[in-house]
């Protein structure tokens, strides 16, 4: 794989064999970020579970104390009488069947999160094949199927993120920007890690947190000692 000059310079700062304490790891992430834009900092947590089994799924949603540094666009499916309520609460798009039609006919995906009231799930369910693969299908577990539209929108805008396993049993999540500084990144990291640990399936045996790696958009991966708390 081709690596640019900046990446190679950044990689020299990191000992790939070392497990860094959280504070040290995020200090390194910031030092290794060489791009001319405010890079996103991501966390990748590999778990000792098997996502092919329903009873070993790990999924949920949390509000990061310092947000993600990105303003997320929210689409809300609701009845016509609640459309204005959703827009007043900060939704970027709100509506019912007309939005379903727009998504199906125009491939409309100009949003980051989809919220739906329970009485709209019969309609929204038809979009499962297009929203599901993009991770946009609203679910009660993520708090995106709810009668409380305003609260859901407020939490998403404040930095609520959804975490869930991929097919390789890894959780990938953004936890901030380089400009946040070490302290805020560590606090966001610890909040996410605590939530993942709390969500451990009762059937999970052996080592639960297999590995924990952080990296900026253009930077090298840095292994974190997830047993060390902040």
């Amino acid at each position: 794989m081709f690596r640019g000059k900046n990446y190679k310079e950044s990689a020299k700062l990191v000992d790939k064999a070392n497990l860094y304490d959280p504070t040290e790891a995020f200090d390194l992430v910031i030092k290794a970020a060489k791009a001319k834009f405010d890079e996103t900092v991501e966390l990748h947590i590999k778990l000792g579970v098997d996502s092919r089994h329903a009873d070993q799924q790990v999924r949920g949603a949390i509000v990061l104390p310092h947000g993600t540094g990105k303003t997320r666009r929210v689409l809300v499916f609701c009845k016509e009488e609640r459309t204005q309520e959703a827009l007043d609460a900060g939704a970027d798009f709100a509506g019912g069947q007309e939005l379903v039609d727009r998504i199906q006919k125009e491939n409309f995906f100009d949003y980051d999160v989809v919220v739906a009231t329970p009485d709209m799930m019969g309609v929204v369910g038809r979009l499962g094949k297009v929203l599901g693969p993009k991770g946009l299908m609203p679910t009660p577990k993520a708090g995106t199927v709810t009668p409380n539209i305003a609260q859901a929108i407020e939490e998403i805008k404040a930095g609520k993120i959804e975490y869930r396993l991929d097919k390789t049993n890894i959780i990938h999540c953004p936890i901030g920007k380089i400009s946040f500084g070490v302290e805020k990144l560590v606090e966001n990291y610890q909040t996410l890690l605590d939530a993942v640990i709390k969500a451990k399936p009762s059937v999970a045996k052996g080592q639960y947190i297999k590995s924990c790696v952080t990296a900026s958009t253009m930077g090298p991966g840095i292994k974190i000692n997830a047993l060390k708390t902040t």
Side-chain angles (χ1 to χ4, degrees):
M1 183 186 290
F2 174 77
R3 297 293 193 186
K5 180 182 175 184
N6 285 345
Y7 181 93
K8 289 175 181 175
E9 287 297 315
S10 297
K12 291 177 184 176
L13 300 171
V14 181
D15 179 355
K16 289 189 175 182
N18 192 33
L19 282 178
Y20 291 93
D21 290 350
T23 300
E24 201 178 0
F26 289 106
D27 183 51
L28 262 179
V29 164
I30 293 169
K31 287 176 179 173
K34 306 289 187 184
K36 293 179 180 177
F37 60 92
D38 192 9
E39 296 181 51
T40 295
V41 177
E42 297 178 347
L43 195 66
H44 309 278
I45 308 171
K46 185 171 181 62
L47 300 181
V49 295
D50 188 342
S51 61
R52 291 174 298 178
H53 300 288
D55 60 356
Q56 293 187 47
Q57 286 294 328
V58 179
R59 183 175 185 177
I62 52 160
V63 177
L64 295 176
H66 303 289
T68 62
K70 179 185 177 185
T71 302
R72 305 177 83 199
R73 296 160 299 173
V74 181
L75 180 146
V76 176
F77 285 109
C78 59
K79 298 288 187 182
E80 187 178 351
E81 59 269 21
R82 299 196 67 184
T83 300
Q84 194 57 49
E85 176 192 345
L87 294 172
D88 290 345
D92 298 272
F93 309 96
Q97 185 61 49
E98 72 279 13
L99 286 179
V100 173
D101 293 341
R102 193 174 169 191
I103 290 168
Q104 289 178 324
K105 296 173 183 175
E106 301 173 26
N107 284 326
F108 171 56
F109 296 109
D110 195 21
Y111 42 87
D112 306 296
V113 184
V114 176
V115 173
T117 53
D119 56 6
M120 288 297 292
M121 285 308 292
V123 175
V124 179
R126 299 174 206 155
L127 296 171
K129 287 184 179 178
V130 288
L131 294 182
K134 293 180 180 290
L136 291 169
M137 193 66 186
T139 66
K141 201 162 188 178
T144 47
V145 176
T146 174
N148 195 338
I149 299 171
Q151 183 183 346
I153 296 168
E154 183 182 346
E155 288 179 347
I156 291 163
K157 295 286 185 178
K160 186 176 188 177
I161 59 166
E162 184 180 357
Y163 60 87
R164 61 177 175 175
L165 286 175
D166 68 6
K167 290 178 181 178
T168 60
N169 306 313
I170 300 175
I171 288 171
H172 309 272
C173 279
I175 58 167
K177 298 281 189 179
I178 288 297
S179 60
F180 280 23
V182 174
E183 191 175 327
K184 289 182 179 179
L185 288 172
V186 169
E187 287 178 17
N188 278 357
Y189 152 80
Q190 198 64 57
T191 299
L192 175 58
L193 186 68
D194 289 347
V196 171
I197 291 171
K198 194 174 180 180
K200 179 181 179 180
S202 58
V203 296
K205 305 297 181 198
Q207 187 180 354
Y208 179 54
I209 305 285
K210 291 280 190 181
S211 67
C212 191
V213 177
T214 185
S216 63
T217 308
M218 307 294 287
I222 298 165
K223 296 176 183 176
I224 301 176
N225 183 354
L227 297 177
K228 284 284 185 81
T229 55
T230 54

